[in-house]
Amino acid sequence: MSLKTVINVQHAYKTYDSLQAVTDLSFAVDQGRCFAFLGPNGAGKTTMMKMLYAKARRDPRPETVMQVFGYDPQYQELAIKNVCGVVPQDDNLDVELDVRQNLRIFSRFYDMSAVRAQERIASLLDFMELGDKKRSPIRELSGGMKRRLIIARALLNEPRLLILDEPTTGLDPQVRQLIWDKIRSLQKSNVTVLLTTHYMEEAYQLADTILIIDKGIKVLEGNPHTLLDEYIESHVIEILDKTRTAGLPAPLLRKARKEESGERMLFYSEQIDVIHGIADKLPRGSFFIRQTNLEDLFLKITGRKLHATQ
């Protein structure tokens, strides 16, 4: 079965005063897929998301195309908001109200009847495992409960597109895993998901496609599993004190790719025998060996040094 493209962006630009936040960005997202933006702080991820649901206006350029379910956010903002649910970075719940009241007020923005709103709220609270908290004041909720409530709020209008801006930042592993499971469940009902995250494991677990942005420019795009196979070695040894590498045989080290990070030294290789050969020359407890992951690829592509915006 062929997939339907529901988001199409070609040659998008966004400038704030003298800052070029997004530069010539192009991508497409198919229906029911999870598409993740990755990049350092200030890379342009949130700006790109905001342009899609008309929270930010793109630069006017004749070559730019931006469509969300066939709608142009520059001219059809309301139509896009009717098919989208948005989970912002920050918790913006009304702390003067309880859980159910927060959802009731939001339901009025979609002109839902009282009966329909009540049914939908009850269903979403159960879905996000908050049913026993429906009368709880917002101030009494944990951070994880607040994030789940904000996701429930974003789902009130049964959106075809769910936009998640760092949805699990600061949450414990149990809550994060729960939210991942809920996102997967939504995808099974053909909800398209746009995600920004600083958790590489989150992107690896959820995303069908990742797009790495750096300084507003596309650096790499593709399926995370495929990108790992194509762009980085399969094994790495992390040496915790880089001074211990002084006595390692140069011919052995030439068979691996070296990266320095603070006090650590990392050697990457496709050949596990090379990694073990380095390990054999080091004292136990001064290193560890592992398979490479999406964070290794991200750091290889964007660099290990902090940007000015970080």
Side-chain angles (χ1 to χ4, degrees):
M1 184 178 69
S2 61
L3 296 172
K4 178 183 178 183
T5 298
V6 297
I7 298 173
N8 179 33
V9 175
Q10 301 297 322
H11 309 296
Y13 293 80
K14 178 61 180 177
T15 307
Y16 292 106
D17 298 324
S18 60
L19 173 65
Q20 189 74 49
V22 173
T23 303
D24 197 19
L25 200 56
S26 300
F27 60 92
V29 183
D30 290 333
Q31 186 173 15
R33 299 294 187 174
C34 179
F35 190 97
F37 296 99
L38 303 180
N41 286 333
K45 308 180 298 296
T46 297
T47 296
M48 186 63 248
M49 299 256 269
K50 286 182 176 179
M51 285 194 286
L52 287 172
Y53 63 91
K55 183 82 179 284
R57 295 285 181 179
R58 67 179 183 258
D59 291 354
R61 289 178 177 248
E63 69 270 32
T64 299
V65 174
M66 195 174 293
Q67 292 183 324
V68 180
F69 291 96
Y71 301 116
D72 187 329
Q74 195 86 339
Y75 308 105
Q76 296 164 298
E77 176 181 347
L78 186 59
I80 289 174
K81 287 183 176 179
N82 281 333
V83 297
C84 287
V86 179
V87 176
Q89 283 185 25
D90 301 321
D91 292 341
N92 57 356
L93 299 164
D94 192 328
V95 297
E96 302 300 323
L97 304 177
D98 65 24
V99 166
R100 189 169 54 178
Q101 289 167 339
N102 264 272
L103 297 181
R104 276 182 175 172
I105 284 181
F106 225 73
S107 71
R108 295 174 187 171
F109 297 148
Y110 299 106
D111 199 26
M112 298 173 68
S113 69
V115 173
R116 175 59 184 148
Q118 183 175 345
E119 292 173 349
R120 186 70 180 146
I121 288 168
S123 173
L124 286 170
L125 290 178
D126 286 342
F127 178 68
M128 295 307 298
E129 300 186 22
L130 289 168
D132 59 340
K133 298 292 183 181
K134 60 185 176 183
R135 298 187 187 277
S136 298
I138 298 302
R139 290 188 180 91
E140 295 181 2
L141 300 183
S142 67
M145 291 175 185
K146 289 177 183 177
R147 292 307 282 170
R148 282 148 56 197
L149 179 57
I150 290 173
I151 294 173
R153 187 184 66 184
L155 295 172
L156 266 173
N157 61 326
E158 300 182 76
R160 296 156 64 190
L161 171 64
L162 181 62
I163 297 175
L164 303 164
D165 199 352
E166 299 183 25
T168 64
T169 297
L171 302 184
D172 62 52
Q174 289 88 350
V175 177
R176 189 177 302 134
Q177 291 281 346
L178 172 65
I179 290 175
W180 292 358
D181 286 340
K182 299 305 179 184
I183 293 170
R184 294 185 186 104
S185 176
L186 290 166
Q187 283 186 261
K188 289 180 180 178
S189 59
N190 241 7
V191 175
T192 305
V193 178
L194 281 186
L195 170 72
T196 71
T197 180
H198 287 297
Y199 293 121
M200 297 298 117
E201 179 65 14
E202 184 163 89
Y204 188 77
Q205 289 278 345
L206 295 177
D208 299 289
T209 302
I210 63 169
L211 192 158
I212 299 177
I213 308 173
D214 196 12
K215 300 176 184 176
I217 300 169
K218 183 197 307 192
V219 179
L220 194 64
E221 180 181 3
N223 176 271
H225 303 266
T226 303
L227 293 178
L228 279 178
D229 289 341
E230 292 181 354
Y231 287 94
I232 197 163
E233 302 86 349
S234 55
H235 305 285
V236 59
I237 178 170
E238 291 194 34
I239 302 171
L240 305 179
D241 180 357
K242 63 186 178 185
T243 62
R244 293 188 179 276
T245 64
L248 294 175
L252 181 62
L253 297 184
R254 282 196 291 268
K255 297 179 181 180
R257 180 176 61 86
K258 180 179 73 174
E259 283 192 17
E260 188 173 339
S261 180
E263 294 302 313
R264 295 177 300 141
M265 192 73 78
L266 297 89
F267 290 95
Y268 293 86
S269 177
E270 198 64 38
Q271 303 173 54
I272 190 63
D273 290 346
V274 170
I275 299 297
H276 284 154
I278 295 172
D280 289 342
K281 307 295 183 181
L282 295 166
R284 182 175 294 183
S286 66
F287 65 89
F288 60 91
I289 296 171
R290 59 176 175 80
Q291 288 187 312
T292 51
N293 54 38
L294 195 56
E295 185 165 311
D296 294 301
L297 175 61
F298 179 84
L299 291 170
K300 179 183 178 184
I301 296 298
T302 63
R304 292 181 178 271
K305 291 184 178 180
L306 295 179
H307 294 185
T309 53
Q310 293 176 271

